[in-house]
Amino acid sequence: MTLPDNQVLVIFGASGDLTKRKLLPALFDLYVRKALPERFLILGVARTVFSDAEFRALQKESLLALRQGHQPNEQELERFLDQLYYLGFDSDKAGEYHLLREKIEELRQAIGLPDQIVFYLATPPQKYTLIIEALRKDGMNKAVDGGWRRVVVEKPFGSDLASAQELNGCLCRIFQENEIYRIDHFLGKETVQNILVLRFSNEIFESLWNRNYIDAIEIRAFETLGVEGRGKYYEGAGALRDMIQNHLMQLMGFVAMEVPPSFEAELMRDEVAKVFRSLRPIVAEEVIRAQYAEGRSGEVVLPAYREEKEVAARSCTETYVAMRFFIDNWRWGGVPFYFYTGKRLDRKLSEIVIYFKNVPYRLFRGICPGSSCNKLVLRIDAPESISLKFGLKMPGSYFGVEQVSMDFGYDSLCTAYIADAYERLLLDVMQGDSTLYTRTDTLEMSWRFIDPLLREWQLHPAEGLCFYPAGSEGPKDRWEDLFQ
């Protein structure tokens, strides 16, 4: 493995939940795998005042708590924590950013690091432009002596097309496009990256990956959890913004893209952008939106969305969306694509399903009634897996055919280490690989695709909204009527 260049990682919002639950555990795993640079430091910044020692103690406690039953090597953990520093200052005040610049310079000189810095914005999105502008005013967006800058932004990337363009305008004025990394943890999943390998290295799949052989494609992301105390955020987001505009649309881009000339980041992202440019405008009548009502999971009563903390009593925010749309290009003309996503459903599931066309004449009795016998299922959440479904004669019957499955699970590769999504994506940004990060044009095209729907729902918030019991399959009767 080629190690990233020696560098500094600055985490804004270092006292927050994302840093504690995702970023530092991922960085520690990279350290254990010896994947971090030879010389490297992490500088956490936030408003809360801690000394380096206090911050290290807090993060040590969190890391140990997250690894109950699998305690890390004590010496390794201490050596990792020695690379962790902290600065308490108010990032809302541009006049205090000289403290950050001075702290970075002091640590760089003490450790002997080049002027190579990643700024990770693990903060509420309303602070993004403020932080970016303050970095510019203090000159920290520009490197010297052959160094570089990179900035990582967490979703949401705006709340509609206009706000996304405003954020992009700010980012692109202050950083170059190749310095901007919009992170989507879905794209760090092993199965997502394997979509490309599965397609482009296997003739049996690539030759069939088109309108001549594929009947439909579904991309699903189901959750059993509700809003989990994030009612205020979810009221301003909803399922369409929270899941479809970023996660599911990016997955669709990888599924539908053409093969690039090479696996260079920009060439890959060019092909995804071409898919987004080919999207047919949404037909509102082919979209279902719903909200979970009170339901049950066994003997446990599950509250309705409108009963969740910080949710309006008559809220019309959708917690479930199903939609059908088309890509108007040569490869996919006429093939329906489906998105399904929802909260408080009866199962947790993230997967891509490729339905192949049926044989023209069903010769054998009982052959997979109601659907195609042949489908490829790429499961994205744990346990990550790939399944190929096909028809086979059942023993003892007279050509009675049922669907069977050939399954591959990543956990069967006992000797292979499967990295966490954040671990993989953090390593990519440290290496300057933007393949799995969203580019400005693609982001704006995804907003342009869903913006008409958002405006329609804002004008008529209650129109077409249906309800489903928490803990159920969702509004299955609605999408069976509409999509089947």
Side-chain angles (χ1 to χ4, degrees):
M1 178 188 295
T2 303
L3 295 181
D5 296 337
N6 296 333
Q7 60 192 270
V8 178
L9 172 61
V10 179
I11 302 176
F12 287 88
S15 61
D17 195 49
L18 177 63
T19 302
K20 179 175 67 177
R21 289 190 306 106
K22 296 294 185 182
L23 302 185
L24 284 176
L27 288 163
F28 177 59
D29 287 334
L30 288 170
Y31 177 80
V32 171
R33 291 204 291 130
K34 304 188 185 319
L36 291 180
E38 291 180 5
R39 283 179 292 162
F40 176 71
L41 69 86
I42 306 162
L43 175 59
V45 297
R47 189 176 301 178
T48 312
V49 177
F50 294 119
S51 66
D52 290 342
E54 289 170 333
F55 186 61
R56 288 168 182 167
L58 283 170
Q59 300 307 321
K60 179 179 180 179
E61 182 181 340
S62 296
L63 283 165
L64 291 172
L66 287 168
R67 282 164 167 73
Q68 288 181 353
H70 183 66
Q71 294 300 298
N73 180 285
E74 185 73 21
Q75 291 181 328
E76 275 188 325
L77 181 55
E78 291 297 336
R79 286 195 296 269
F80 169 73
L81 293 169
D82 284 344
Q83 300 179 78
L84 185 59
Y85 298 85
Y86 186 83
L87 173 65
F89 86 106
D90 190 348
S91 61
D92 291 351
K93 296 179 179 177
E96 293 192 12
Y97 274 71
H98 69 94
L99 299 172
L100 176 60
R101 174 171 43 80
E102 291 161 4
K103 181 71 171 181
I104 292 172
E105 189 61 25
E106 173 194 328
L107 291 170
R108 279 186 54 230
Q109 295 303 324
I111 299 171
L113 290 170
D115 188 26
Q116 299 178 162
I117 304 173
V118 176
F119 295 109
Y120 198 116
L121 275 54
T123 64
Q126 57 266 30
K127 293 182 180 289
Y128 292 166
T129 55
L130 190 154
I131 292 170
I132 293 161
E133 287 284 2
L135 290 172
R136 180 192 62 79
K137 287 178 182 176
D138 216 83
M140 283 185 281
N141 63 314
K142 300 294 184 183
V144 297
D145 301 326
W148 46 254
R149 294 289 184 270
R150 293 170 191 150
V151 59
V152 184
V153 184
E154 280 276 347
K155 81 172 188 76
F157 314 120
S159 57
D160 55 18
L161 178 59
S163 58
Q165 288 175 326
E166 183 181 353
L167 174 58
N168 284 337
C170 177
L171 281 165
C172 294
R173 280 195 313 273
I174 295 168
F175 293 95
Q176 300 296 315
E177 179 65 49
N178 64 358
E179 298 173 327
I180 302 167
Y181 292 74
R182 300 173 185 85
I183 193 167
D184 182 344
H185 72 275
F186 255 53
L187 300 189
K189 303 280 190 179
E190 191 70 41
T191 312
V192 173
Q193 295 170 72
N194 233 325
I195 294 169
L196 305 176
V197 178
L198 192 74
R199 283 188 58 188
F200 301 138
S201 69
N202 294 289
E203 177 65 19
I204 60 171
F205 292 120
E206 178 53 23
S207 61
L208 304 178
W209 211 268
N210 57 63
R211 59 186 168 80
N212 295 321
Y213 299 100
I214 290 179
D215 195 45
I217 294 177
E218 291 182 356
I219 303 177
R220 310 166 177 166
F222 298 154
E223 298 179 78
T224 55
L225 298 175
V227 294
E228 299 301 294
R230 297 192 308 149
K232 185 177 180 180
Y233 161 76
Y234 208 82
E235 277 288 85
L240 187 65
R241 290 185 178 97
D242 188 51
M243 291 297 295
I244 287 178
Q245 181 274 324
N246 44 75
H247 299 323
L248 301 196
M249 289 199 67
Q250 291 302 317
L251 292 179
M252 179 269 297
F254 279 131
V255 170
M257 66 183 281
E258 298 293 333
V259 60
S262 73
F263 270 5
E264 293 177 26
E266 287 310 303
L267 296 176
M268 292 274 292
R269 301 204 292 180
D270 285 345
E271 295 303 330
V272 173
K274 290 175 187 177
V275 173
F276 280 45
R277 288 191 187 97
S278 302
L279 287 168
R280 186 187 301 178
I282 296 174
V283 177
E285 291 74 23
E286 296 197 338
V287 179
I288 295 167
R289 64 175 177 136
Q291 185 187 101
Y292 63 82
E294 183 180 289
R296 285 185 172 273
S297 177
E299 298 300 316
V300 179
V301 175
L302 303 174
Y305 173 73
R306 292 176 175 181
E307 296 170 353
E308 300 278 12
K309 186 178 178 181
E310 297 187 296
V311 170
R314 301 183 69 179
S315 171
C316 292
T317 299
E318 77 286 355
T319 61
Y320 181 101
V321 174
M323 60 189 296
R324 176 168 56 192
F325 61 97
F326 294 86
I327 299 171
D328 288 334
N329 63 17
W330 192 265
R331 181 180 290 266
W332 297 113
V335 176
F337 283 69
Y338 298 87
F339 286 150
Y340 298 94
T341 185
K343 287 187 172 294
R344 276 287 188 225
L345 297 173
D346 60 347
R347 53 186 168 154
K348 177 177 171 57
L349 179 69
S350 296
E351 65 182 19
I352 299 164
V353 186
I354 313 295
Y355 292 92
F356 293 96
K357 290 186 175 181
N358 274 315
V359 292
Y361 172 65
R362 295 192 174 192
L363 181 63
F364 301 108
R365 178 168 53 86
I367 182 168
C368 308
S371 66
S372 168
C373 253
N374 304 134
K375 62 181 178 180
L376 184 67
V377 182
L378 311 174
R379 182 159 182 169
I380 296 162
D381 56 359
E384 296 174 72
S385 63
I386 299 174
S387 299
L388 181 62
K389 316 283 186 179
F390 52 92
L392 199 67
K393 175 186 176 295
M394 289 296 99
S397 66
Y398 180 74
F399 289 112
V401 177
E402 292 189 18
Q403 193 179 70
V404 297
S405 177
M406 286 198 305
D407 302 320
F408 164 75
Y410 285 93
D411 54 6
S412 67
L413 298 175
C414 301
T415 58
Y417 176 79
I418 301 176
D420 172 78
Y422 270 99
E423 189 179 338
R424 184 176 293 109
L425 292 170
L426 280 167
L427 185 59
D428 281 353
V429 73
M430 285 189 279
Q431 292 176 323
D433 183 352
S434 57
T435 304
L436 298 175
Y437 288 84
T438 308
R439 201 167 64 184
T440 298
D441 57 347
T442 308
L443 173 66
E444 293 187 3
M445 283 187 282
S446 69
W447 278 117
R448 193 169 283 110
F449 178 63
I450 71 165
D451 237 28
L453 201 54
L454 289 172
R455 289 196 299 270
E456 180 68 21
W457 292 354
Q458 287 165 356
L459 287 172
H460 308 286
E463 189 175 312
L465 180 69
C466 60
F467 296 87
Y468 61 96
S472 71
E473 292 182 279
K476 186 177 178 181
D477 56 333
R478 289 289 301 275
W479 56 256
E480 281 186 340
D481 289 344
L482 187 60
F483 298 154
Q484 301 305 314

